Amino acid sequence: MEEQQAYQSVDAGCGCDSLRAFPSPQTPGQQAPGQGPGQQFGPGQQFGPGFGPGPGPGPGFGPGPFPPFPGPGPFPPFPGGQRFVTVFINGGRQFPWLTRNYNIPHRFGLTVRQALTSTGAVQFGLGGQIVSVGGVYTGPGSNIQTTVRLNGRVLPPGLLNTQVQPGSFISLDLNRLF
């Protein structure tokens, strides 16, 4: 005689009005699907067939040491996750070794100048202008022009203290003037 497995329908919890089915609680001594003889569910024990370590249809099978998750998760370890500002230094054809992306962790009050300095490749002079990029002198008297853009718009040197938002894109282009 075969027993029928009853499944309890529960709200999925994600706001989509769908239902999820979960096995009904087992009576003592009753074997659940994927459960070996004498195994009981409990802390640190397996919960049925699937992939991962533990008992199941063979070595390396079993869902792992966790029950089915009824909520909408999984959730990131930090609310909103880590937020970054992308800095792209473009050396162009004259300075290809300088071309590189940098992901700078965003913090409240971060400015374009601070983000550029955080790359470790950009140095500013006493007057606040960019004087070096990756060891290439770009200050007064050089024939190298630097162009800073914030989210695609050219940023004049006087506005390098503009605060940036998470997800902003800063680019620094180097061009040799002939």
Side-chain angles (χ1 to χ4, degrees):
M1 175 183 240
E2 187 177 322
E3 288 184 32
Q4 272 193 331
Q5 179 70 33
Y7 289 95
Q8 173 186 359
S9 293
V10 224
D11 182 8
C14 61
C16 66
D17 294 331
S18 67
L19 299 176
R20 291 188 182 179
F22 293 98
S24 61
Q26 303 295 317
T27 58
Q30 184 181 6
Q31 185 175 328
Q35 193 176 22
Q39 269 189 322
Q40 296 296 316
F41 290 149
Q45 295 181 349
Q46 298 301 86
F47 291 87
F51 296 101
F61 289 94
F66 47 86
F69 186 73
F75 297 103
F78 303 105
Q82 179 68 39
R83 302 177 304 180
F84 292 92
V85 172
T86 302
V87 176
F88 176 65
I89 297 178
N90 183 6
R93 287 161 73 178
Q94 290 88 17
F95 310 101
W97 63 90
L98 295 178
T99 301
R100 184 172 168 203
N101 258 335
Y102 299 86
N103 286 320
I104 308 299
H106 183 269
R107 60 184 185 276
F108 182 76
L110 182 70
T111 65
V112 172
R113 181 184 312 274
Q114 291 169 335
L116 289 170
T117 303
S118 295
T119 65
V122 181
Q123 294 180 343
F124 289 88
L126 296 176
Q129 74 277 13
I130 297 173
V131 295
S132 174
V133 178
V136 176
Y137 179 72
T138 60
S142 73
N143 61 344
I144 300 169
Q145 174 188 7
T146 57
T147 305
V148 178
R149 289 185 171 84
L150 176 60
N151 296 324
R153 294 185 178 187
V154 175
L155 198 65
L159 294 178
L160 290 177
N161 289 327
T162 302
Q163 290 187 3
V164 296
Q165 301 298 316
S168 293
F169 184 82
I170 300 167
S171 66
L172 171 61
D173 299 325
L174 280 75
N175 295 307
R176 185 183 302 253
L177 303 174
F178 294 102

